[in-house]
Each structure stands twice: as structure tokens, then as C-alpha cells.
Amino acid sequence: MSFSDRTIEEIKAKLSIVDVVSSYTQVFNRSNGFWIKCPFHGNGNERTPSCKLNLERNSFYCFACQEHGSMFDFVMKMEHITFPEAVRELASRAGVSIEDETPQERVRKEEKTSLYELNEQMAKVFHQLLLVSPEAETARDYLAKRKITQETIERFRLGYAPKDSRWLHDYMIKAGYSDSFLQDSGFFSKNKYPYPLFCNRLMFPVSSWQGKVVAFGARDLSFRDDAPKYINTPDTAIYSKKHNLYAFYECLETIKKEHKAIVCEGNFDAISLNQAGLTYAVAPFGTAFTSEQAGLLSRYVSRVQLLFDTDNAGMEATSKAITMLQEKDIPCEVLSLDRFKDASEYLEKAGGEALKNSLNQSIDGFRYLVNRALSLYNTRTPKGKSEFVGYLAPFLNATKSNVEKDAYVRQIAEIIGTGEVQIRSDLTSFQQPSGRIREDADQSRHYAFLKPGNISPDLYLMLMFANHRELFASYTRAFRFGDLKDREAQIIYLALENVRRDGIGKTDELFLSLIADDQVRHDVATSFELPEFKVENPEGVINEILDRMALRKLEEDRRLILLQIRQGEVEGLDEDDLKELLNEKVSIDCDIRDLKEKLQKA
């Protein structure tokens, strides 16, 4: 959808780039302005902040990686969302009502708002039931057995869902929610509505990083072998399992402060570690740690410690997580719990202090993978050596630094007694086919950086107009769309035409939203930050470029005339026709001479 310029300007008037960025990372106020450690190339782990915030333009620019943009771009990159979603997010923060929403968009927005309200309400209800309901005695006894304190119960807002399979639906209907809404709420079976997903279960509210309750995890309290031990809310309009981590919001303050996180296997492990004082422990839902969860952590951490179970499934999950973190360029360590299966068992049997002390020993991610591969394959055989390298290949191919990769390859060569050249050759064969992107890999784009001195006159002209859009309408008769030979220039021309025709896109943010091509949008956004396009006399620059384009057109016409003359001489063209071509060539030559002289004086 399109947003009005008034909406964008009102958001910018109520929020500054500093306001927005400070909710994600620390802002340093220096004598020459506001700076941050760039979250896009250094995971916020630079020694010296390289990304400057421009209050006047409400923009950011990194002098190291050239990442840049508006406050909307910053939120889009951090949240991995679209421009319309970023506008809605910031409008909500600023208290700005959005104009021009379609009826369908208003309905979806209202549904999401209602879902947030329902989840928050049910978190309170489940929690109150756990605290006071006689029926929840089993849940309270279970928590006591697991050594979970009342303080921890309150901090994580643990709750209880009653046994009665009709209770949840009856409660929500009485609260005013419709059946059509509840069917997609994530609280009920899709195939057996209105049968509840959560019945006689210990409830774990799941919050987004902003602190909104978006889902629930639930532990069965019947303790029957045929009942699933844990179930989670399915994906809904406000929740995606692969993008969220349990306890992330509760731990976010410490994670920001410590620049690290422990990723453990389940809800109880995260709670146990937090209770032991390690208030930066989070958990995926089961062992399925995802690339999106790694991306969420990468905004705030400089290293991650993994603490999955010691069974085969846990070890395999650890290996996959190490590679995902390597793709995000996040150093990784693996923690060990000695004789215990997981953190919650350790807390239950040895206590919080013992659990905390047991985690002083760790092994780096690469060494963990090497040890794991050595336990799986016989490296005394040629086949075992190949399998060993194959096991480590995803990690090595995820390593961005060639220096780092070289070091790993040398270590592998020493371990299995194989040449480095052979290992590198095998690594190439293990890479994904050209043009395909792994589903769990970082799919962020890398763009060619715009260099004004190396671009075509067409693109330079359109970038000038993009920076001075008020001039475009007065120049539309000076050249035509067909005069543009550069594809990027043509794309920008069409966006400028939308601005001229419909009056939308007067702000930089909305203008960028009119450009679908990622590279072109990146180039236009870059031009907004470059002095070459912020000149005092843009008309002078535009006129000179138009003259250069006209000179190019004349030279093309001259080449065509010369070709026609040569063909006419060979084919015996009529003398009058040939004379007409020669006169036209003389005229073009004069125009070229005059235009060159004009450009030399400019």
C-alpha cells in the first residue's frame, strides 16, 4: 500500500533517528554527533563506533560498510520486515494514525491488535489460576519438585490451563470473542474446534522482543505416556516460531549489557539458568534453533554459548546451531553439564549455585565439531577422512573470513594427515549449486556500492532528479524515456513519473518504497547521502548531463548516417539521395562541434 506524505512526516516529527536506534543498541553522544557500533557488519561489536546518526535528515550512515538509510530502513533491516510494516511499527510507537489504509488492511490490523490483547489477557488468567486455583495444586507441586522459586514463577508469568476441555472456549466466548476469530487464534485445534490445545498444562507465556505476549508453550501435567509432553502455539498472524526465542524479552536487558547469550534446549532449562543467576539464557522451541533466531541474537551479542542436551539429538542440534551462528559471524562456545542431562535436572538435583559453577568450562564451536566428527568417523581410512571433511564442510563454507577459513583448513589437514589443497577441493564440491540459497542460510543481500564517477550519464541524471524531485516535471520535455539506455535509470524514471502524476513519494522514504528493484533502491538511498548529488545548482548539473546525452545521441546518428553513406556508395544509391545524406552528416557534425564547445566551457 501507499502512505501519505503527511503520515511519514508526522512520524519523523515525533520520532528521531536516535529515538528509534536507541531501542536496539547503545547510542554514543560525542562532540561531533551521535554514533553507534554498526549492527550490520560488526554485530555491534566494534571497538570504535563507525555508524553516524544524522538528526537533521533522520538517517544513519556507516563509514565502514556504507550501510545507510532512514529510520524506516533501520527498522526494516533490524526486524527483517517490509517498508509498510516498518511504517506501521514506527507509527504505533509515535502514536500516529495511518492514512489511506485499505479496509482489508484495517481488518488485519484490528485482528492483530485483538490477538495481542487476547494473549495478554490469557497470560494473566493462566498465571492467576496457577497462583490460587485449587485445581492447579498439581502444577504448583510439580514446580516445587523442579526447585522453581516463587520469584521465578512471577518473573516468567508461569500459568495453568484447567483440565476441563470446555473451559477455554467458554471463557473466551463470554469475554466477547467470536468463533471465527478464535479458530485462528492459536488456542484451539484446527481440525477439532473448539477443542483446546492447552488443557491440564503448565503454561509458559512467550513474549516478542518488545514484550508483547504472542504465544504459549505448555507442559503436560497428566504425565501419561500417550500425551505430548510439550506443545506450542502454532504460527499465527502475530507469531512465528522460527523468529522467536523463549525468555528473550525477559533476558534482553542483560543480553544487551553482557553482549552474550546462552542458548539452551527448552523452557525449563532457560528458567533454571536464569534462576541460577545466568539471566541471559534463552531457548528455541525444542532443539530447532533457526537462522532467524541466530539473526535475532546477532543484533545484540558478540558471542553465544550453547547448552543443549547431551543425547544424540542434542549433540546434532548443537552442531547445526554452531554452523548457523558461524553464518552470522557470531563466535560460539559449547558448555558442558558433566554428569547431568540438562540444566533443569542439574538445578533440581544439585541446586542453582552448583549449576552456575559447572559452566565455567567451555569449548569453542569449531573444536566441538572436530571432536564430534572424530567420534563419528574413522579418519584412519580414506573414506573416513572424506566423511570427516564433509561433516565440517557446512561450518567452513559458512565462514566469511578467508583468513579464518585458512586457519581451520590447516588444523584439519594436521588432524587427518591430508593436504590442504585436497581439503579445499572437497569444500568446493560440498557447496550449494550456483544460484541456490540454503533455506536456513542468511539470505541478506549484498549490494554493489554506488560510485558516481563510474556510472552512466543516464543514471547520474535520474539520481539527480531523485534528489531534486521538484525539478523533474519541468524537464520531462527535454528528454524521453526511450533516450535512457541504462536499466537502473529507466526504473528510477518510472518512480519519478509516479511522483509527478500521482503526487505521492514526496518524502525520501515514500519515494524509495516506489522502487521494487533492491539494487536500484540501494543506489538511490546511497545517493541521498553523497555530496555529488547535493549541489547548490542542480539545474546546471542536469543541463550539462542532458547536453552529454544529446551529444551521445548525435554521435549515434552520425554513425548511422556514415553506415548509410557507405552502403549507398556500394549499392549505387541515387546521387540526390546520397547528397541528402552527406548534407545531414555535415549538419550533425556542426551540432556535435557546437555541443562539444559548450561542454568544454561548462
Side-chain angles (χ1 to χ4, degrees), residues 160-179:
Y160 172 73
K163 289 181 182 179
D164 185 355
S165 61
R166 296 172 299 179
W167 176 86
L168 190 62
H169 180 258
D170 290 347
Y171 178 88
M172 292 181 177
I173 290 294
K174 289 178 182 177
Y177 294 101
S178 67
D179 279 309

Side-chain angles (χ1 to χ4, degrees), residues 565-595:
I565 291 172
R566 292 192 190 103
Q567 288 178 333
E569 290 173 343
V570 172
E571 296 172 0
L573 188 66
D574 182 89
E575 186 175 336
D576 289 339
D577 291 336
L578 188 60
K579 185 177 180 181
E580 183 178 343
L581 288 173
L582 288 169
N583 289 336
E584 190 172 349
K585 174 185 173 298
V586 171
S587 176
I588 291 174
D589 287 339
C590 291
D591 290 341
I592 289 175
R593 184 185 66 249
D594 292 343
L595 200 49

